[in-house]
Amino acid sequence: MENWSVDQVCNWLRQSNLGELVPKFREEEVSGAALLALNDRMVQQLVKKIGHQAVLMDLINKYQQQKSGLESLTYCCETASPKYPEVISGKNLKSFFARYKTLQWTSSYALPDFPYDVKCILAEKKCPDHSMRIRIIEFLQADMTKYLGGSLYPNSQQYNIVVNALLQAYPFLDEDGNGFLLWKRALKDRFKYVRRPIEDDEQVLRNKCKFGHRRGQTRKSSCAENKPDDVRVQVEEEPVHLEGSAMDVNIKWLKQEYMKTQRNWKEVDNRMNVTIEIRRKMISDKAPLKDILRLFPFLRCPYQLFREFQLLTHMDIYKKTVEILEIYSENILSLYAVRNNPINIMLQENLKRHTEEDILKYMKMTAACLLLPDVFGDDSSLFVAVNEEVKVVTPVLEVKNPFNVNSCEFALYVEREELAQLDDCTMALAALVAAFHVFDIPCPKRIHRTLSFLESLVFEVRSPASLP
């Protein structure tokens, strides 16, 4: 990391779900050496949001700890003497090399030696067809398993390292700038496929229990990697039925925990699981939203809103929304219906001021999100209020300065009150769709076609609604 250029630091930020920090890091010319030299005060000046500050400092600290551990292991290996044979013998020797290999894996990864036919395709810089992609993924999966000592559960960082190495060696595989996500998803799917028939492996059984699987179950609960940092949802347990005082204790704990700065998110998940029955009953009985949020304030957090949606539908709403905007944003912006729309005109003016690819992509996805109701001829005031006051009671987005990377703001309103602050258009759109379902709010007719289009894609309807 010390020798990284500014571009490499920016790529690392994107892979760590901190892509919106890239413009500031480019402006301040933060290289790898500068990144490792950042102190708390510098991070506060560079990064606006406290959550991003915490994530960035944690990543830097983890790298420095890893580096320190690697140097310590190397020193131990070089200086161990016969006087202390127990340091590098027996079980210690196995543990020593296992840890050293893990650190070595993290610091530098070399691609495997692909078969001859794969090498030929890659040498010609041809975009591989489906069967060739499978071949590449199979070899990467086998190589990762070897590096992991037979484990079939790589972590997110290890997936990132392998896919990044592949795209650096063969840049033409990064199709339209979306290659990283596509190859990572394919690699993760391959590991899932390999794990599926394995029933007796100790680690597989342990992880199945951890993520909600039980022997004899045919329905698999969907999982994600992280907690609120990347807004993905992990449903680990079935709801537990509680009564009386036990329910009151859990609700009281949730209300107290919500007031804290540092929250125990794992315990929050557990308590939200065991209180879902009373929460859903209140919502189905049309209890006032204020009462529901007073008892369950964590529904104001986007992560918990998405998690509640997944408990109800078994769908990862955030992941689906990312896919929708990445696939449809260019098509939406090219439609005649939005050519002279003020949002599109504002977008074109702002595109001229930037050259960074990630900023341009962010702006286009934001514009596509805001223009959706206009595409379907719906009432956009029931969908989003851009630089205006919210006037409707149904779920609606409030957006301020949508194309200003440094000052844009997204918020979800329900019953004319702010429910949640959101990081970007993707999170905002996911929260809007989730709110209708989580709070069981009927969709207004004047926005019905837009939401039907989004829901048909989220729920993977066989014949989804299409753009006009």
Side-chain angles (χ1 to χ4, degrees):
M1 185 180 281
E2 294 90 337
N3 300 322
W4 282 3
S5 65
V6 175
D7 288 338
Q8 288 174 309
V9 170
C10 292
N11 287 334
W12 175 75
L13 288 172
R14 294 189 192 98
Q15 294 166 20
S16 304
N17 295 316
L18 295 172
E20 64 184 77
L21 305 183
V22 168
K24 188 65 175 175
F25 273 63
R26 284 192 186 279
E27 179 185 340
E28 299 293 339
E29 298 183 356
V30 180
S31 63
L35 180 68
L36 295 176
L38 292 176
N39 56 33
D40 291 344
R41 183 179 57 81
M42 295 176 183
V43 170
Q44 289 172 6
Q45 291 176 343
L46 270 173
V47 183
K48 179 182 176 183
K49 296 178 181 177
I50 294 176
H52 290 166
Q53 292 175 12
V55 173
L56 180 63
M57 289 303 296
D58 183 57
L59 290 171
I60 294 173
N61 290 337
K62 283 180 179 177
Y63 173 81
Q64 290 174 334
Q65 289 170 6
Q66 261 179 6
K67 180 186 173 187
S68 175
L70 181 58
E71 290 173 350
S72 174
L73 282 170
T74 305
Y75 176 80
C76 177
C77 187
E78 290 174 350
T79 58
S81 66
K83 185 178 179 181
Y84 303 102
E86 67 276 7
V87 173
I88 54 170
S89 63
K91 293 182 179 179
N92 288 334
L93 181 65
K94 184 177 180 180
S95 174
F96 170 83
F97 282 111
R99 187 179 171 205
Y100 176 78
K101 195 169 187 180
T102 301
L103 291 168
Q104 192 177 38
W105 153 279
T106 306
S107 59
S108 63
Y109 171 80
L111 288 172
D113 188 20
F114 289 116
Y116 179 74
D117 57 337
V118 176
K119 286 182 180 178
C120 291
I121 294 294
L122 296 176
E124 295 173 5
K125 296 186 177 180
K126 289 183 178 179
C127 196
D129 59 17
H130 181 68
S131 61
M132 190 58 66
R133 281 172 175 270
I134 292 175
R135 293 264 287 154
I136 294 172
I137 288 296
E138 285 176 347
F139 272 84
L140 289 177
Q141 179 266 318
D143 192 58
M144 287 180 72
T145 304
K146 179 189 71 175
Y147 266 84
L148 290 166
S151 171
L152 296 175
Y153 286 90
N155 60 37
S156 184
Q157 184 187 12
Q158 289 163 342
Y159 280 121
N160 291 345
I161 289 169
V162 172
V163 176
N164 197 41
L166 178 69
L167 297 185
Q168 283 185 353
Y170 307 104
F172 58 91
L173 296 178
D174 189 8
E175 303 165 11
D176 301 324
N178 296 324
F180 183 87
L181 293 173
L182 295 174
W183 284 98
K184 181 178 177 180
R185 189 176 302 133
L187 190 54
K188 292 176 74 173
D189 288 344
R190 176 64 190 173
F191 270 97
K192 288 180 183 177
Y193 176 79
V194 172
R195 290 194 299 261
R196 189 177 301 161
I198 301 176
E199 296 295 338
D200 299 322
D201 182 84
E202 182 180 351
Q203 186 183 9
V204 174
L205 290 173
R206 187 166 58 250
N207 279 274
K208 281 186 175 182
C209 291
K210 177 181 176 182
F211 295 116
H213 297 273
R214 300 291 183 270
R215 282 187 180 271
Q217 280 188 341
T218 56
R219 188 179 194 120
K220 308 290 182 181
S221 60
S222 54
C223 308
E225 296 166 0
N226 298 318
K227 286 288 186 185
D229 292 340
D230 64 356
V231 203
R232 294 192 179 176
V233 185
Q234 181 171 301
V235 181
E236 295 183 356
E237 301 176 15
E238 292 297 320
V240 179
H241 301 284
L242 295 179
E243 295 181 359
S245 59
M247 183 67 70
D248 293 338
V249 168
N250 281 283
I251 291 175
K252 182 178 179 181
W253 186 93
L254 288 168
K255 291 162 70 175
Q256 292 174 343
E257 190 71 9
Y258 184 75
M259 302 305 294
K260 297 180 181 179
T261 306
Q262 298 292 329
R263 294 159 179 167
N264 183 348
W265 287 105
K266 183 175 181 180
E267 187 62 23
V268 169
D269 288 352
N270 292 336
R271 306 270 182 161
M272 290 294 281
N273 271 1
V274 300
T275 56
I276 189 171
E277 184 178 1
I278 184 66
R279 189 163 60 252
R280 299 318 306 170
K281 188 176 188 309
M282 288 180 67
I283 292 172
S284 64
D285 290 344
K286 304 301 179 185
L289 181 63
K290 289 183 179 179
D291 292 347
I292 296 168
L293 294 177
R294 179 174 54 81
L295 297 178
F296 305 102
F298 278 100
L299 289 179
R300 293 180 178 274
C301 301
Y303 162 72
Q304 283 296 333
L305 187 66
F306 299 156
R307 191 174 185 278
E308 188 91 351
F309 182 91
Q310 185 164 341
L311 283 168
L312 299 173
T313 66
H314 302 285
M315 287 291 177
D316 187 338
I317 181 70
Y318 183 79
K319 177 182 175 183
K320 290 293 181 183
T321 306
V322 171
E323 294 172 357
I324 291 168
L325 287 180
E326 287 183 345
I327 293 171
Y328 287 93
S329 57
E330 291 288 351
N331 291 338
I332 291 170
L333 296 176
S334 65
L335 293 173
Y336 180 80
V338 301
R339 185 170 301 174
N340 297 319
N341 189 287
I343 296 292
N344 202 2
I345 294 172
M346 194 189 311
L347 168 68
Q348 300 307 323
E349 291 175 354
N350 281 273
L351 289 178
K352 298 174 184 176
R353 301 173 189 169
H354 298 276
T355 56
E356 295 90 341
E357 184 179 343
D358 56 329
I359 294 181
L360 299 179
K361 180 181 177 181
Y362 167 83
M363 288 183 175
K364 290 178 180 179
M365 290 174 67
T366 300
C369 172
L370 303 181
L371 289 169
L372 264 176
D374 295 281
V375 169
F376 290 94
D378 282 341
D379 186 348
S380 59
S381 67
L382 297 174
F383 187 83
V384 62
V386 181
N387 296 328
E388 293 178 357
E389 183 182 350
V390 170
K391 299 177 182 178
V392 298
V393 295
T394 52
V396 66
L397 300 177
E398 182 195 56
V399 182
K400 296 179 180 177
N401 309 316
F403 303 116
N404 188 321
V405 179
N406 297 317
S407 65
C408 58
E409 295 179 12
F410 297 84
L412 173 65
Y413 276 69
V414 181
E415 296 182 358
R416 294 196 186 94
E417 291 191 8
E418 183 180 299
L419 182 76
Q421 286 281 342
L422 307 158
D423 289 344
D424 51 39
C425 66
T426 307
M427 187 185 291
L429 188 58
L432 179 67
V433 176
F436 278 100
H437 285 265
V438 170
F439 298 113
D440 195 20
I441 298 172
C443 171
K445 290 183 179 180
R446 289 182 293 159
I447 202 69
H448 176 74
R449 284 172 290 190
T450 303
L451 289 179
S452 293
F453 168 74
L454 292 170
E455 290 174 355
S456 69
L457 296 172
V458 169
F459 294 113
E460 300 176 350
V461 176
R462 288 187 178 180
S463 300
S466 59
L467 291 171

